[in-house]
Amino acid sequence: MKVKIDTRPLPVVIASRWWRFPVYLLLGYGLYHFYQSPPPEGLSLEGFRALVVFLACLVLWVFHLLPLPITGLFSLIAPVLMGVMPAKQAFSFFGSEPVFFILGVFILAAALLKSGLSTRIALLLLRSAGHSPKRLLLQIMAASALLSFVMSEHAVAAMMFPLILVITRTLQFIPYGGSYGRLLFLAMAWGCIIGGIATMLGGGRVPLAVGMLQEAGQETITFLQWTSAVLPVVLITFLAGYLVLTRFYTIDVDSVANADDLITTKLRECGRPLLEEKFLALLVVGAIVGWTLWGNRFGMATISILVVVLLFMFRVVEWKDLEENVDWGIILMYGGAIGLSTILNSTGAGLWLVKTQVLPHLGSPWLLVSLLSLVSLLLTEALSNSAVVAILVPLGLSIAPTVGIDPKIIVYTVASAAGLGYALPISTPAMALAFSGGYFRIKDIVLPALLMDLISWLALMATARLWWPLLGIRI
Amino acid sequence: MNPAVLKLELMAYGIRPGEGLFQPLANPFGLVHLTLPEKLAVSIHLQERSPYSLHNRNNRFFLEKNGETIPVQWTPPLKAYEKKTSSGLAIKEILTVHGGLIAVHPKGPCRFGLSGLSCRYCGSTKALNEHPPFTKKDLVEAIEMVLEEKRCDFVNLSSGRVTSDDGGVEWLTPWVVELRKHLHILISLDLALPRSLEWIDKTYAIGVDALYYDLDFFNPDETRPATFQEQRDLHWKALEQAAKIFPAGAVLSHLVIGFEPLEETQKRIDLLIGKGVVPILVYFPPLDGSPLSSRWKITPQEIQGLYARLFEKLTQTGLNPHWVQQRDVILTPLEGRFLSDQPARYPLALQNFYETSLGRIVTLGLASLRRHLRVREVPAP
C-alpha cells in the first residue's frame, strides 16, 4: 500500500469520508419512525416491521454503507430490536444448512489452493499453447472456467492472477502498454465468472439462493439439477465471451513462446503430485459424486462437512491454512441474508409486498422471469452478486406462487444471472483482481461488457424457453 | 523602547551579567531566558562586550543600556535539564527547550554543534558525541520530565545533514511513531530536501504536524556548490508540495539574514509566502570568535523593515503564524507587528486563544482530525 494525501478542500474531504453518518442517522430515524407507525392494511405488525428491516438492509447492501458481512449480522439483530421475533428464533436462522454447505465448499477450495493441486491443474490446462496467442487466451479462459466448476471463482481468480501476471511480464507487456496483456487478464476474469455459475461450487450465490428456497419450505435443487439447467448458458456465454474478447481487442503479439516456456518450467517446478494432492483430487471427485447421488438424502451440507472432516483426518490441511484462505465474512453475510429471507416469508411481508406492489404490474410468468434476470444482470454490475441474490430471491420467491410458477425457476434465474457481471471491479472478486493488474481501465471494457450482458440475458432466456422444458422445468 | 527592536538588539549583542543575579543564570547551553515588555520572550547569550547588562534589585530584573533601564522578567533555567532518564542520561544531553518548543537532534550534534559552538536551535554541542546516543525511550522520558515542569506544544526533531533520497524522514520515522504513541503533542521535523516528493506525503502520514525545509540562503556566490541552482529548483517543488499537504502555515523555512543583500532576502520572503510557506527570519549574529563573525555586516536597525514586511504579507495571506514556535530565539512574524503600522487584532486574538488550555486541546484535536481525514492508503501502482 502507498500513502496518499487527499488535498481536496476540507469540506469536500469531510463530505466524501463522512457522508455515511447522516445516512446512518436517517436510517436509524426511519427505523424508529416505522417502529412507531401502524402497519398498512392487510399486513401484520410483525410483517410490516420485517419489511422495514428488509428495506434498511437493502439500503445498506446497495450503497455499501457497511461491509456485506456486517449488514448480514445486522439483518439478524434488527428484527429482534424491532420486535418482529425473539432473539432465540432470529439467531436460529443463521444455522441453516446452506451456510454449512458454503462453509464446506470454502474449506475445500482453501485445501485445493494450499496443496497446490489447483495450480497444477491450471498449469496442465495452460500447457502446450503451441506458441499461439489465441490458443493461450482460450486456454486461460477455459482453465479459469473449468476450475471455477469445482472451486469458488474468487479462489480461482486469486490463484490464476499471479500466473497471468508472470505471463504478461514474460511477454514483456507493461500496464496499459498493449492489448494482449489486457486480453489475458480479461480472459481469466470472464472465465472465472462464466465457469462460476456452472455448479454449486463456483461461489456462494447458488447455495445462498437454494438455501432461501429451502427455508421458504420448498423442495431443494440438487447439484446435478442445477448444473444441467445452466450448462447451456455457460457454454453459450463462454463461446461468446471468447469471440467478444478476440473481436474487440487486437492481438498485438505474434508468438507466446516465452509464456509456453514459463508454463513448462513452472509445471516442472511443481514436481510429481504428492500423495496429499492425489487424495484431495479423490475427495473432490467423491464430493461431487456424493452431492449428485446423495445430496437429497443426506443433505448437501452433510456431504460437504464430511469432506472437510476427511480433509482433517488425513491431515491434508491445517486449521491455520483455513484461517488465512477462507472468506469467513461472506459466510456471515449468507447466514444473515438467509435469515432475513425466512423472516420476510414467515411474517407474510414478502407476499403482501408482491400482492400490492408487484403483481398489479406483472402480466405473465415470462415477464417476471425476463425482468428478474435482466434486473439481476444489471444490478450485479454495480453490486456484489451475493447482495443481488440476497435482495431479489426473497422477492422472487414471494411472487412465484401468486404468478403461478415453480419457485425453483426464480432461483435458477436470479442466481445464474447474478453471477454474470462483466464490467466493474465491485461485481466480483475476479474482476477486481483483473483490474488490479493495471492493464485496463473501466472505459476499455464498457462496450464489450454491455454486449456480454445482452448475450447472457438472451442465452438465459433461450435456455429457459428451449432447454428447461426438456428437464421438466416449465414456466 | 520598541520591544521588537529591543529583542533584535539583544539577539545581536547579547547581555552582560550585572549585579544581584541568581545562579545558574543561563541554561546549560549558555542562554539566559528573559521576558521583555509586551511579553516578548527571548533567550540570549552572554557577551562580554554587549551594551546591555542585566541586573536584579529586590527581585525585580531590568536591563540597563547607557543609563536607561528596561524592566524584564527572568526565567530560571528548567530544573528538568539536570534530571536523568532511567538509563542515566541527563536531559540536557537529549533536548533543548525554546519557549513552547522542545528541540531534539537525535542523530548527534548538528553542524553548529560540530563546530564547537552550542547550537541556538537544537542545543547540540560537540559534547553530544562524548556520551552514548540516546534512545527513543530516553527521549520520551526526557520530554515527559520537561512537560511536568513547563507547557510545551511542540517537539521538533532535526534530521541533521543527510544526503539520502528521503531527506532524513525514514530515519526519523520510528522516533515520530514513538512520540505519537506516548505523547499528545504536536511534532515538527527539520529535514533536508527529499529527492522524491512522495516522501512529503509520507512525512505527513506518519504523524508530523509541521515541517521545516530550510532555505537558509538564496543568492548563489562563490561559496555555493555548482549544483546549487538545481537544488533550489528542487527546493521550490518540495515547498510547494508540502504547502499543499500540511496545514496552512505549517510549512516553514528558515532564512538567514545578513549573509546576502537584504533586497534578495525580501524577494524570497514574498516568493515563499506566495507559495504558502512561512519564512522564519533568522537573525543570528555569529558569536564572538566564530569564523563567520568577520562576514557579518547587518545591524538590527537595518533589518526592521524585513520583519514588518513579513508580518504584513503574512496577515494578508491568512497563513496561520501560530506554527512558528521558536519564539525565544527568533523575532516571530507575529512579533513583527511592533515594527508595522498594520493592526494585528485577529492573528493576535487567535494566538491568545492557542495559548489557553482550550486552545491547546483544539489545536491538537484539529491536527489529528485533519490527518485522519486527509491520509489515505491506496494500492501501490
Side-chain angles (χ1 to χ4, degrees), chain A residues 2 4 6 8 10 17, chain B residues 205 369 372-374 376 378:
Chain A
K2 183 177 168 248
K4 187 172 167 25
D6 191 340
R8 290 175 298 171
L10 216 50
R17 304 241 357 208
Chain B
L369 179 64
H372 172 77
L373 288 168
R374 292 229 183 260
R376 302 265 172 105
V378 293

Side-chain angles (χ1 to χ4, degrees), chain A residues 412-473:
Chain A
Y412 287 129
T413 308
V414 177
S416 56
L420 298 169
Y422 300 97
L424 300 179
I426 45 173
S427 59
T428 62
M431 278 310 288
L433 273 169
F435 267 98
S436 72
Y439 282 79
F440 60 94
R441 301 177 184 88
I442 290 176
K443 68 180 171 74
D444 297 330
I445 56 158
V446 170
L447 268 180
L450 281 175
L451 184 62
M452 279 305 290
D453 279 335
L454 181 66
I455 292 170
S456 300
W457 184 68
L458 291 173
L460 187 59
M461 290 299 98
T463 305
R465 174 73 79 180
L466 304 170
W467 177 249
W468 288 357
L470 301 178
L471 303 174
I473 308 165

Side-chain angles (χ1 to χ4, degrees), chain B residues 165-339:
Chain B
D165 286 358
D166 61 300
V169 182
E170 200 163 21
W171 191 84
L172 284 174
T173 298
W175 294 82
V176 174
V177 171
E178 192 72 3
L179 292 181
R180 277 263 160 264
K181 190 174 165 188
H182 296 283
L183 302 165
H184 199 35
I185 199 163
L186 296 167
I187 298 173
S188 59
L189 295 190
D190 206 332
L191 294 169
L193 282 173
R195 290 215 180 85
S196 153
L197 295 184
E198 69 182 35
W199 282 107
I200 300 170
D201 296 39
K202 285 183 189 167
T203 307
Y204 183 66
I206 59 170
V208 177
D209 300 292
L211 194 59
Y212 292 84
Y213 283 143
D214 291 340
L215 214 48
D216 290 342
F217 313 105
F218 281 96
N219 201 17
D221 58 21
E222 72 281 359
T223 62
R224 303 279 102 203
T227 55
F228 185 74
Q229 186 66 40
E230 189 188 329
Q231 274 190 346
R232 203 165 60 174
D233 291 344
L234 184 64
H235 207 130
W236 287 130
K237 278 186 195 157
L239 285 171
E240 275 175 354
Q241 174 75 359
K244 277 184 207 159
I245 287 169
F246 282 79
V251 181
L252 308 118
S253 184
H254 286 112
L255 281 181
V256 179
I257 311 173
F259 285 113
E260 60 190 355
L262 289 181
E263 304 79 58
E264 198 69 35
T265 311
Q266 186 164 308
K267 269 192 236 163
R268 302 313 164 190
I269 290 174
D270 295 352
L271 209 55
L272 282 170
I273 292 182
K275 288 182 187 298
V277 178
V278 177
I280 297 180
L281 298 180
V282 177
Y283 181 56
F284 258 3
L287 297 172
D288 285 347
S290 158
L292 291 171
S293 58
S294 60
R295 288 188 59 201
W296 193 261
K297 294 173 187 138
I298 308 292
T299 64
Q301 285 69 32
E302 289 173 279
I303 59 172
Q304 289 171 22
L306 279 184
Y307 281 98
R309 187 179 179 87
L310 172 59
F311 164 72
E312 285 158 14
K313 293 288 282 184
L314 210 58
T315 45
Q316 281 164 18
T317 55
L319 291 174
N320 186 348
H322 177 65
W323 294 98
V324 181
Q325 285 287 323
Q326 309 135 318
R327 292 183 198 155
D328 58 342
V329 286
I330 55 162
L331 187 75
T332 66
L334 195 54
E335 287 167 349
R337 69 185 184 276
F338 294 108
L339 304 167

Side-chain angles (χ1 to χ4, degrees), chain A residues 107-108 111 275-276 279-280 283 302-319 321-322:
Chain A
I107 292 176
L108 193 58
L275 188 63
E276 286 158 9
F279 180 69
L280 189 56
L283 269 184
T302 312
I303 293 166
S304 95
I305 297 295
L306 178 66
V307 171
V308 170
V309 172
L310 289 171
L311 282 175
F312 278 88
M313 280 172 70
F314 290 93
R315 293 187 173 275
V316 179
V317 279
E318 298 289 331
W319 184 253
D321 302 325
L322 303 189

Side-chain angles (χ1 to χ4, degrees), chain B residues 67-81:
Chain B
E68 186 192 351
T69 58
I70 303 154
V72 294
Q73 286 172 0
W74 171 74
T75 309
L78 285 175
K79 292 190 187 94
Y81 281 135

Side-chain angles (χ1 to χ4, degrees), chain A residues 50-222:
Chain A
L51 201 59
V52 171
V53 170
F54 174 71
L55 291 175
C57 291
L58 196 70
V59 172
L60 292 172
W61 270 321
V62 170
F63 294 105
H64 276 266
L65 291 168
L66 291 172
L68 293 180
I70 304 303
T71 304
L73 289 177
F74 175 75
S75 71
L76 286 178
I77 60 156
V80 181
L81 294 173
M82 293 284 283
V84 178
M85 57 183 57
K88 199 174 174 184
Q89 192 184 356
F91 285 110
S92 69
F93 294 131
F94 190 83
S96 61
E97 194 195 337
V99 174
F100 288 92
F101 172 66
I102 295 164
L103 180 66
V105 168
F106 280 2
I107 292 176
L108 193 58
L112 281 167
L113 271 177
K114 165 69 182 38
S115 67
L117 178 61
S118 53
T119 311
R120 182 189 298 280
I121 296 169
L123 288 168
L124 282 169
L125 292 169
L126 294 178
R127 195 173 54 171
S128 307
H131 302 184
S132 156
K134 271 193 175 180
R135 190 166 158 187
L136 179 65
L137 199 70
L138 185 64
Q139 280 177 282
I140 286 174
M141 205 164 156
S144 305
L146 286 172
L147 282 165
S148 299
F149 281 24
V150 288
M151 286 168 74
S152 67
E153 62 172 90
H154 69 259
V156 178
M159 183 203 71
M160 292 292 285
F161 178 75
L163 279 177
I164 306 297
L165 203 61
V166 175
I167 290 172
T168 46
R169 290 198 180 147
T170 306
L171 294 172
Q172 295 184 333
F173 282 107
I174 51 162
Y176 307 119
S179 179
Y180 193 66
R182 177 190 308 159
L183 270 171
L184 293 178
F185 280 98
L186 278 173
M188 180 270 289
W190 286 12
C192 289
I193 289 165
I194 294 165
I197 66 162
T199 70
M200 288 185 172
L201 309 180
R205 292 174 310 273
V206 185
L208 174 66
V210 172
M212 288 172 166
L213 181 75
Q214 275 179 274
E215 295 298 319
Q218 301 291 328
E219 196 187 329
T220 191
I221 295 172
T222 64

